[in-house]
Amino acid sequence: MFDIFMLMLSAILIENFIFSKFMGCCPFLGVSEKPDTALGMGCAVTFVMTLASAVTWGVYRYILVPFGLEYLKTIAFILVIAALVQFIEMFLKRFVPALYSALGIFLPLITTNCAVLGAALLNIQNEYSFIESVVYGFSAALGFTLAIVIFAGIRQRLVLANPPKSFSGFPLILIAAGLAAMAFAGFAGLSIS
């Protein structure tokens, strides 16, 4: 149980996909203008990443490995993730149209979100069991959600800032993202004994 807790803590804070691994930056920068939209994107990514971690683990262990097709894992994982995102898109369009329209173009981008693919590939690379894979995928997605919601709050505060003209707009957003990443780097030395 302690190992699962450490895996979760590591995925959420220490090896945060946004601030440490720099995966998933496109939706991070694109959907982090409002906290409610950021939270919606985080929830969608959490669902997809958790489910993708479970499904891709099974596809790898029970289809690719027995037939000696391990080299096709990236293509197979992308297909699985694309199918899951289509399911999410249809669900949101039907049951949560406000979130569907708020996410806009970034919802289909989950398909190519390298954080989702990265979690699936890291599960295989680190040789996690099924439970560890699901926990890692869920925790990494929680870390992604935490990062995008915190940054949405930062961006709301930046609207009130009066920076020099050369820093206004996207340069200021990138500077703020870099400072947030530096703050998360403080968790790198975290050790629970």
Side-chain angles (χ1 to χ4, degrees):
M1 193 64 176
F2 182 74
D3 292 338
I4 295 293
F5 175 73
M6 289 301 296
L7 182 65
M8 290 179 71
L9 185 66
S10 176
I12 294 171
L13 296 176
I14 300 168
E15 296 177 7
N16 186 283
F17 269 55
I18 294 290
F19 293 132
S20 179
K21 295 186 181 296
F22 306 109
M23 292 184 183
C25 290
C26 180
F28 169 73
L29 293 172
V31 186
S32 61
E33 291 179 7
K34 293 187 265 181
D36 55 338
T37 308
L39 183 61
M41 179 62 151
C43 290
V45 168
T46 300
F47 181 76
V48 170
M49 195 179 291
T50 304
L51 202 55
S53 293
V55 173
T56 56
W57 186 90
V59 165
Y60 184 78
R61 295 282 185 248
Y62 298 115
I63 296 174
L64 298 180
V65 170
F67 293 106
L69 301 172
E70 296 92 344
Y71 61 92
L72 292 176
K73 68 181 173 240
T74 303
I75 294 170
F77 292 178
I78 289 172
L79 291 174
V80 167
I81 293 166
L84 291 173
V85 169
Q86 286 300 313
F87 170 72
I88 294 290
E89 191 170 3
M90 290 186 303
F91 176 82
L92 289 179
K93 189 174 186 178
R94 181 172 171 103
F95 296 109
V96 193
L99 181 57
Y100 175 78
S101 62
L103 292 175
I105 188 66
F106 293 100
L107 188 58
L109 285 178
I110 295 175
T111 303
T112 57
N113 186 344
C114 60
V116 178
L117 180 60
L121 291 172
L122 284 170
N123 286 331
I124 301 305
Q125 179 183 335
N126 295 331
E127 298 179 357
Y128 289 145
S129 67
F130 178 76
I131 298 297
E132 289 172 329
S133 293
V134 173
V135 167
Y136 182 76
F138 178 72
S139 301
L142 284 182
F144 177 89
T145 303
L146 176 69
I148 197 169
V149 169
I150 286 173
F151 195 65
I154 292 170
R155 283 186 70 172
Q156 279 195 326
R157 298 288 304 247
L158 288 178
V159 172
L160 304 174
N162 189 16
K165 188 174 182 175
S166 61
F167 287 110
S168 64
F170 202 65
L172 186 61
I173 292 169
L174 290 177
I175 290 170
L179 291 173
M182 287 174 55
F184 264 74
F187 292 116
L190 188 64
S191 174
I192 296 179
S193 301

